Amino acid sequence: MRFAPSQENEAFAESLDDLLSGAGVVAAARAWADGDSGPGRKVWAALADLGVTGLAIAEEHGGVGGDAVDLAVAFQALGYHGVPGPVVESIAVLPALLGEAAPLRALAEGAIGTVALPPRTPFLLDADAADLRFVVGSDGAVAEAGAPSSGPLGSVDRTRRLFPVELNDVSEEETPGGTLQNIVQSAEGAGAFAVAGQLLGAGRRLLDDTVEYAKARAQYGKAIGEYQAIKHLLADVATRLELAAPLLSGAAVALTGGDSRGVDLDPVRDVAAARVAAADAAYLAARTALQVHGAIGYTAEYDLGLWITKVRALQSAWGTQAEHRATVLDAIRKAAR
């Protein structure tokens, strides 16, 4: 099984990093948290020009026709740079749910979409900024939802604006979906996989920023990064992130149905394992970053908080850690029988 990224993957990652590094993402995220989606939409438009918003959409619908490996590359970059908006729902989940050409083409061209899948994912993320809103009903039908009629609910991550789904918001026209089981599995699998990539990218950003801070911050006449205690903390984070990365790659291979060369592939199990490892690693990165930065890390004005709060909020997005651990354990038990 090939886990190493191809030259095309590396070139795509480099192009995406160059784009987002100069796109003013931090300012866009702060504006998004305050209810101004204008700067964020400019970032989304740039992503659409690069083909990111259409990665999981077939070429016949205006997309790129990429696979899970491409999505893994993209979501790590989106997490690293802290791109605001329903990136998981719009770029990964909706393409797995929708069957009609019109909304897929709109998403590929840069329209922002969001989706709720009650009861596990009961809220519409950033419904006020979204162009397309959908909800999966109890019968498995994917239905279009209207604009929110009330304000957002609070979230530890201010860039995540959660809106409840009301029954009178759902239109009568439904998008063909399939069986409820297939819809739930495809949506939750795509969501959990994308969140794993986002968390891994956010964790790496927290580590990089903390390393730079440790090099610059001096105590008792030398940089704090020279102290063994700080080195050990950062080394633990780096190790956890590096151990999570192959699990994300393995999940990507399992989802694409690639050549396993004798390795047992189980997309549901492998995605859950990647999600658990990435979330744990990112959470450790957030805690360590806060510990090394000290009091300044608690301030809202300091950019570090954008990633710390995002990592905390994503711990329960598209399934909790306990649920994904249970999925892995169940797969192991079945394999042992």
Side-chain angles (χ1 to χ4, degrees), residues 209-227 230 291-296 302:
D209 286 355
T210 305
V211 167
E212 290 303 312
Y213 180 81
K215 290 178 180 178
R217 180 74 166 92
Q219 284 261 337
Y220 305 110
K222 64 178 182 179
I224 62 173
E226 296 181 24
Y227 293 100
I230 300 297
Q291 183 176 357
V292 172
H293 278 79
I296 193 173
Y302 199 62

Side-chain angles (χ1 to χ4, degrees), residues 251-328:
V253 172
L255 288 170
T256 57
D259 180 15
S260 64
R261 299 186 183 181
V263 178
D264 175 36
L265 296 180
D266 180 344
V268 175
R269 177 202 63 195
D270 295 346
V271 167
R275 171 65 165 73
V276 169
D280 281 349
Y283 192 61
L284 178 63
R287 290 176 61 88
T288 301
L290 197 55
Q291 183 176 357
V292 172
H293 278 79
I296 193 173
Y298 286 91
T299 61
E301 295 79 11
Y302 199 62
D303 291 342
L304 184 78
L306 295 174
W307 280 269
I308 289 178
T309 54
K310 185 173 293 295
V311 165
R312 182 65 186 88
L314 290 177
Q315 293 291 308
S316 58
W318 293 98
T320 65
Q321 287 293 83
E323 290 170 335
H324 289 299
R325 285 192 174 95
T327 298
V328 175

Side-chain angles (χ1 to χ4, degrees), residues 1 7 51 72 83 101 110 122 152 156 168 177 185 204 229 255-256 267 283 320 331:
M1 187 191 309
Q7 291 183 347
V83 174
V156 67
N168 58 8
Q185 287 182 347
R204 285 175 171 158
L255 288 170
T256 57
Y283 192 61
T320 65

